[in-house]
Amino acid sequence: MRPLEKPVAGVPASDLERILELCEPIWARLRGRRLLITGGTGFFGTWLLETIAAANAALDLGLKASIVSRDPSAYRARFVHLGHDPAFTWIAGSAADFPCPNMDHDFLLHLATVTSARTGQTDSRLMLSAKLEGIRHVIDVARRSGIRRALVTSSGAIYGPQPPQLATIPETYAGAPDPTKPESAYGTGKRMVEQFCAVNDDIDIVIARCFAFLGPHLPLDGRFAAGNFIRDALAGEPITIHGDGTGIRSYLYVGDLIVWLLNLLISVPGRTAYNVGSDEPISIYDLAQRVSALTGQTEIRILKAPGRAPLESYVPCIDRVRKLTGLNVFTSLDRSLEKTLDWYSETTSSVR
């Protein structure tokens, strides 16, 4: 493997080199192949594109990708190095209506989702219909493009509330969101996507049930507690917990996530769901404390008093992935926070 000649803008070169190393067993399977990627300009997608560009540069892979985006021009203007990479073909449209490419592809990565990063800004009715229309169209295009192997990202939200007796949620847990509650629309929509994948037996589809993540490009203004805490601390404002701080979460570094997704695409049995995330639990309050310790922003504001409801958890069991692939959590929570904070601190400083 040739070392990267220079850092790839947007993602730390050390992260890309680590991803290339951890994915070494699968690069031969991707040499000269073409991917169809929806959601390629989001949080996950940006890291995936950076990884493809780095792998092509270091390994002469000749890996190409067709990337579906609602606004390719805006993204290419922001990420110039990716926008002008000859390995990438850009397709304007949503998951539900993008035109079928005029060339065959080998693999599909359906990373697109219909939800706003900002709490309460996505119409639940639109979300449900768009998810179903999107997966129907994506699978149809994949079929017409010659694709026989795909990875579709789902969510841990498909399980509904995690029972108090379960420290982590296994893929075999049969719980579900309450369909009578509007706030269940996201998890219910993801269940619909998984069901549609299950009834299409001509494409070997792997389901990646994604939980919570940290890393550069993480949205800092929306549904994600970790991102909100980082935003507050870097702005010199009190770190604000909108709940009571007792909820339990876990966070996988996005560099680890990319290693997991590529390995799941290539090397595990299809027609199966796999949890993707860290199984290292942490309370929301303890997470705020760690961000406080790393940034020096000492004030933590908790907006709700603790209630009597059962402790709310959102932590996956990842034994299935460990046993089948040998993958693990490669980056600790503390290091994930440090790397995310460092990246945002440097990015903020560079634009002042």
Side-chain angles (χ1 to χ4, degrees):
M1 180 189 300
R2 296 198 307 269
L4 298 179
E5 295 182 358
K6 60 181 180 180
V8 178
V11 168
S14 59
D15 280 331
L16 294 173
E17 289 169 351
R18 180 66 167 153
I19 292 170
L20 297 192
E21 176 188 348
L22 291 171
C23 288
E24 186 174 1
I26 69 169
W27 292 128
R29 297 280 303 278
L30 290 172
R31 183 173 298 279
R33 303 293 186 134
R34 180 177 287 275
L35 311 177
L36 176 61
I37 304 171
T38 70
T41 57
F43 177 40
F44 293 4
T46 293
W47 271 78
L48 179 61
L49 299 189
E50 295 275 21
T51 297
I52 293 170
N56 281 338
L59 304 172
D60 294 321
L61 276 189
L63 179 59
K64 300 182 184 300
S66 298
I67 304 145
V68 178
S69 170
R70 292 180 183 273
D71 192 349
S73 296
Y75 186 84
R76 296 174 71 188
R78 183 182 174 199
F79 295 89
V80 177
H81 61 294
L82 298 176
H84 291 86
D85 193 314
F88 300 144
T89 300
W90 299 87
I91 303 172
S94 72
D97 62 16
F98 69 94
C100 185
N102 58 5
M103 75 275 288
D104 284 347
H105 292 71
D106 300 291
F107 299 102
L108 163 70
L109 292 108
H110 181 40
L111 312 179
T113 189
V114 182
T115 183
S116 171
R118 293 172 180 264
T119 304
Q121 289 194 355
T122 302
D123 186 297
S124 295
R125 293 166 298 181
L126 172 64
M127 182 194 302
L128 287 168
S129 61
K131 284 186 184 301
L132 192 54
E133 292 166 7
I135 190 62
R136 182 189 298 117
H137 183 67
V138 167
I139 295 300
D140 180 58
V141 170
R143 187 178 293 115
R144 287 187 281 154
S145 299
I147 291 172
R148 292 294 175 266
R149 174 77 173 186
L151 180 139
V152 172
T153 53
S154 183
S155 169
I158 68 103
Y159 296 113
Q162 181 173 330
Q165 67 270 24
L166 289 180
T168 59
I169 308 176
E171 291 91 346
T172 53
Y173 176 62
D178 184 345
T180 67
K181 295 182 177 180
E183 60 268 27
S184 298
Y186 181 77
T188 300
K190 286 295 190 181
R191 290 180 72 87
M192 291 164 52
V193 168
E194 290 195 22
Q195 183 68 73
F196 192 86
C197 291
V199 299
N200 285 270
D201 58 5
D202 56 338
I203 298 178
D204 196 27
I205 300 177
V206 174
I207 300 292
R209 291 176 179 162
C210 299
F211 280 70
F213 303 92
L214 282 165
H217 298 295
L218 175 75
L220 298 189
D221 187 11
R223 298 179 296 111
F224 313 104
N228 291 343
F229 296 166
I230 291 169
R231 175 204 62 206
D232 293 344
L234 293 181
E237 298 176 353
I239 297 172
T240 301
I241 300 172
H242 290 276
D244 63 11
T246 62
I248 303 296
R249 297 291 185 272
S250 64
Y251 295 89
L252 185 70
Y253 188 63
V254 66
D256 295 7
L257 165 72
I258 296 303
V259 174
W260 283 43
L261 293 183
L262 289 173
N263 275 273
L264 291 177
L265 174 68
I266 296 299
S267 63
V268 300
R271 311 188 197 288
T272 306
Y274 301 86
N275 285 339
V276 175
S278 169
D279 59 354
E280 178 186 350
I282 185 171
S283 74
I284 295 297
Y285 179 70
D286 287 343
L287 179 69
Q289 284 190 309
R290 294 200 193 187
V291 173
S292 172
L294 289 168
T295 61
Q297 174 49 262
T298 58
E299 184 178 355
I300 298 174
R301 182 182 298 164
I302 303 174
L303 299 187
K304 292 184 179 180
R308 296 183 178 180
L311 188 66
E312 187 232 336
S313 297
Y314 187 64
V315 181
C317 174
I318 54 176
D319 290 348
R320 178 176 288 179
V321 171
R322 281 193 175 111
K323 291 175 182 176
L324 285 173
T325 67
L327 295 173
N328 212 327
V329 178
F330 302 110
T331 308
S332 70
L333 174 59
D334 284 338
R335 185 61 182 138
S336 297
L337 284 169
E338 290 171 358
K339 289 164 75 69
T340 307
L341 283 161
D342 287 348
W343 187 86
Y344 270 107
S345 297
E346 292 170 6
T347 301
T348 303
S349 298
S350 68
V351 297
R352 284 176 180 168

